[in-house]
Amino acid sequence: MKSRISAVLCLILTVSAVTACGSEAEAPKTPQENTAPSVTDAETEADDDPYAVYHAVSDDLPEADYGGQDFRIVTFDYIYTQNDFDAEGETGALIPDAVYRRNRAVEERYNTHIALTVLPTDSMTGTVYRTIMANDDVYDLISDASVNTVQSALKHCYQDWNGLSGFNPDKPWWSRSCYDNLSLGGKTYVMAGSITPSFLGHYYCLLMNKRLAADLDIGDDLYAKVLDGTFSFDYFSSLIKDSWLDLNADNKKDKDDQYGLVQQIYATHPYAYSAGKPSVSVKDGVPVITMDGELWSKMIERTYALLYDSNGVLTNTDWEQHYEIFTAGRSLFLSAAFLDTYDELSDMKDDFAILPFPKWSEEQDGYFTIHDGIAPYLSVPVTASDTDFIGIVTEAMAAESYRNLTPVVYDVALKVRGARDEQSIRIIDMLAKGCVIDMGFIYNNSNGLGWSMSNLMVQKKKDFTSYYAKNEKAWQKILDNVVSAYSEQN
């Protein structure tokens, strides 16, 4: 699956659009309400361990002996999600070794055995669904692509996480944004968090070529702006505007030229979510469309100006071309996913920095992003009977991942290109805290609310007001269907 977006689009095409209704909305809940503690909070810990605060968090779980019982996980054969659980031994590869140690620690603590089933990507969702409909108790934990997981939730496939022993959504290894924004009527059928490191890997981010930044004498200034909270969209745009260099002198933008930004056109929705506001909010267990029309109009108009009017961006659907240009040192910025830092760009000679998307307003409380549609969500099938066992072992795996696996993922990303230093860790920590999970994005196919930015950019249009008026009824019908589906479940 070299092309992440192609994979996501294939998955999205396998599910139907659905959605829901609402009443007066409360203020949207941002990911900042329950996230990993900042590494700067560890001032009293050992100076040589920037992750001491991660290691110190207790899971508050009881001890138990499950007599060697299998903990049965099923996922699909996408390399990243498969590697979230699959590790037979230590090989010297840092992330797989950390996964192996996580698995062994939980197995020894609870006398259990982690048994992984890997199904073909294009048939996993259907296979698991048929198993559940046949009332077969063969899986304890399902890890599937988010766009597919939520569709199965509407078919009464999953148990409520709130009924599982040991599950604590207030712990930093769970995504509070997922819990708050995808739960309805007190029911939580899908979750996401540290137990699957590829979830963080699928967060969208910006990468910056440090050599080009030094040539422009902006590297130190940009780092300072990110850290002091003033890295704004206007500043970001100013670095890109009119930066195209026609290196091969053919008077057309192509892969041999130099740019300020290379941008996948189907992945422009992170610019909208960098405002930190979901398109749908949940009030008293009911989802309500809460898109700020004025804000979205401004974001879309300014993103359009950046991509199409500034003459500094190459934007198309070719991820591989973007990796090639950035790896060759011919773009200041690359719009990417976090996992690209330790995968697609591992052969890059220039050092690069990992950055969040810029703020739309410096008054925003933090930096925000979104994950792509293939990022894994977790669910527990309704056919699973031993919920005490499932809840405790799942919580233990999530906690052990947060304490000892997430720091390794940070370090691998940093060590590939660039120094492992306090600044870099703090910036990645900002990125890790800022994922907005939005019902308007995830409970939809690519025509949903949360895809408004990308759909308009693909069409080279910027009139959000007309686009909203045309689609509002369809979006509301999808939300109505979600409410109905959740209401029918016990």
Side-chain angles (χ1 to χ4, degrees):
M1 286 196 184
K2 294 291 287 182
S3 174
R4 184 172 58 254
I5 289 299
S6 295
V8 173
L9 292 177
C10 288
L11 285 165
I12 290 172
L13 289 174
T14 68
V15 296
S16 58
V18 247
T19 5
C21 139
S23 58
E24 183 182 356
E26 64 187 0
K29 296 177 179 177
T30 73
Q32 299 273 340
E33 293 179 6
N34 181 49
T35 55
S38 169
V39 294
T40 58
D41 294 337
E43 296 175 351
T44 61
E45 302 293 340
D47 292 338
D48 61 349
D49 184 5
Y51 303 115
V53 69
Y54 286 78
H55 304 320
V57 183
S58 172
D59 55 38
D60 301 319
L61 290 171
E63 296 307 313
D65 185 331
Y66 292 110
Q69 181 175 343
D70 281 349
F71 183 66
R72 304 161 301 173
I73 302 172
V74 61
T75 191
F76 55 109
D77 61 354
Y78 176 45
I79 187 62
Y80 301 111
T81 49
Q82 184 174 338
N83 288 346
D84 286 339
F85 303 104
D86 190 12
E88 295 301 321
E90 296 193 63
T91 64
L94 293 180
I95 294 177
D97 284 359
V99 170
Y100 173 79
R101 291 192 297 271
R102 186 269 316 268
N103 291 356
R104 297 294 82 78
V106 173
E107 287 178 333
E108 292 173 6
R109 180 178 179 184
Y110 286 107
N111 190 14
T112 184
H113 173 253
I114 295 170
L116 178 66
T117 298
V118 179
L119 298 176
T121 297
D122 59 357
S123 62
M124 175 185 162
T125 306
T127 299
V128 172
Y129 173 74
R130 288 188 292 274
T131 298
I132 294 172
M133 291 300 102
N135 202 33
D136 290 336
D137 182 0
V138 293
Y139 305 123
D140 296 315
L141 187 68
I142 304 167
S143 174
D144 199 359
S146 54
V147 292
N148 288 346
T149 302
V150 296
Q151 297 300 324
S152 294
L154 302 179
K155 299 175 182 179
H156 309 176
C157 289
Y158 306 144
Q159 300 192 38
D160 182 1
W161 279 80
N162 297 296
L164 299 178
S165 297
F167 172 64
N168 186 348
D170 293 325
K171 292 294 187 180
W173 38 84
W174 295 116
S175 166
R176 188 71 200 197
S177 183
C178 183
Y179 185 78
D180 287 336
N181 296 328
L182 297 186
S183 298
L184 295 180
K187 301 171 184 176
T188 305
Y189 295 116
V190 299
M191 276 301 297
S194 300
I195 189 172
T196 50
S198 67
F199 176 64
L200 170 61
H202 285 89
Y203 284 20
Y204 286 107
C205 63
L206 291 173
L207 305 181
M208 180 188 73
N209 183 301
K210 290 185 177 182
R211 176 182 58 81
L212 294 180
D215 290 346
L216 296 170
D217 197 26
I218 62 169
D220 291 340
D221 185 49
L222 196 149
Y223 262 105
K225 284 182 175 294
V226 171
L227 291 169
D228 69 15
T230 60
F231 179 41
S232 68
F233 185 85
D234 286 343
Y235 175 74
F236 174 64
S237 298
S238 73
L239 302 178
I240 295 167
K241 183 180 180 180
D242 300 326
S243 60
W244 172 46
L245 296 179
D246 187 10
L247 298 181
N248 57 7
D250 63 355
N251 201 34
K252 62 180 181 180
K253 291 181 178 180
D254 56 37
K255 67 182 181 63
D256 297 316
D257 294 340
Q258 181 169 313
Y259 302 92
L261 169 69
V262 283
Q263 173 69 55
Q264 159 64 248
I265 192 62
Y266 284 114
T268 49
H269 36 276
Y271 290 101
Y273 284 98
S274 65
K277 299 180 182 297
S279 63
V280 172
S281 301
V282 178
K283 171 67 174 178
D284 296 329
V286 177
V288 188
I289 297 175
T290 53
M291 299 178 88
D292 182 329
E294 182 178 357
L295 174 62
W296 274 77
S297 292
K298 289 179 179 178
M299 292 190 299
I300 286 169
E301 288 172 0
R302 291 163 72 184
T303 302
Y304 181 96
L306 170 67
L307 299 185
Y308 296 117
D309 297 337
S310 70
N311 201 29
V313 182
L314 178 68
T315 182
N316 55 39
T317 62
D318 192 342
W319 276 109
E320 296 299 331
Q321 184 184 88
H322 299 168
Y323 297 141
E324 177 184 346
I325 292 169
F326 190 73
T327 300
R330 295 197 305 275
S331 181
L332 177 60
F333 293 105
L334 169 69
S335 176
F338 186 77
L339 57 80
D340 291 330
T341 63
Y342 49 86
D343 183 2
E344 299 290 350
L345 307 177
S346 59
D347 295 329
M348 184 169 173
K349 293 180 180 179
D350 290 340
D351 287 349
F352 59 79
I354 303 168
L355 303 174
F357 279 86
K359 294 181 177 183
W360 287 100
S361 167
E362 292 182 13
E363 286 68 45
Q364 281 180 210
D365 183 18
Y367 295 96
F368 302 97
T369 188
I370 193 170
H371 63 69
D372 69 17
I374 204 169
Y377 281 3
L378 301 166
S379 55
V380 177
V382 293
T383 50
S385 58
D386 198 342
T387 54
D388 286 348
F389 165 71
I390 293 170
I392 288 173
V393 175
T394 300
E395 189 77 5
M397 288 188 71
E400 187 66 23
S401 298
Y402 172 79
R403 290 189 293 247
N404 294 309
L405 178 53
T406 298
V408 173
V409 174
Y410 277 30
D411 269 0
V412 169
L414 290 167
K415 286 176 178 175
V416 170
R417 281 293 141 202
R420 175 186 178 277
D421 55 36
E422 181 75 12
Q423 273 192 335
S424 299
I425 295 171
R426 287 178 61 197
I427 288 175
I428 294 180
D429 200 50
M430 291 178 180
L431 172 68
K433 291 179 179 181
C435 186
V436 178
I437 294 183
D438 179 21
M439 189 174 293
F441 176 83
I442 203 64
Y443 269 108
N444 286 276
N445 61 17
S446 58
N447 293 318
L449 291 79
W451 292 79
S452 298
M453 172 72 80
S454 291
N455 287 339
L456 286 169
M457 293 305 105
V458 167
Q459 298 168 25
K460 292 188 177 182
K461 295 180 179 179
K462 54 184 176 181
D463 184 357
F464 174 71
T465 301
S466 297
Y467 182 80
Y468 182 93
K470 180 180 178 181
N471 290 282
E472 183 182 11
K473 288 184 179 179
W475 291 339
Q476 187 61 58
K477 184 177 180 180
I478 293 174
L479 291 179
D480 291 343
N481 290 339
V482 173
V483 169
S484 296
Y486 269 61
S487 299
E488 293 167 0
Q489 300 183 59
N490 295 327

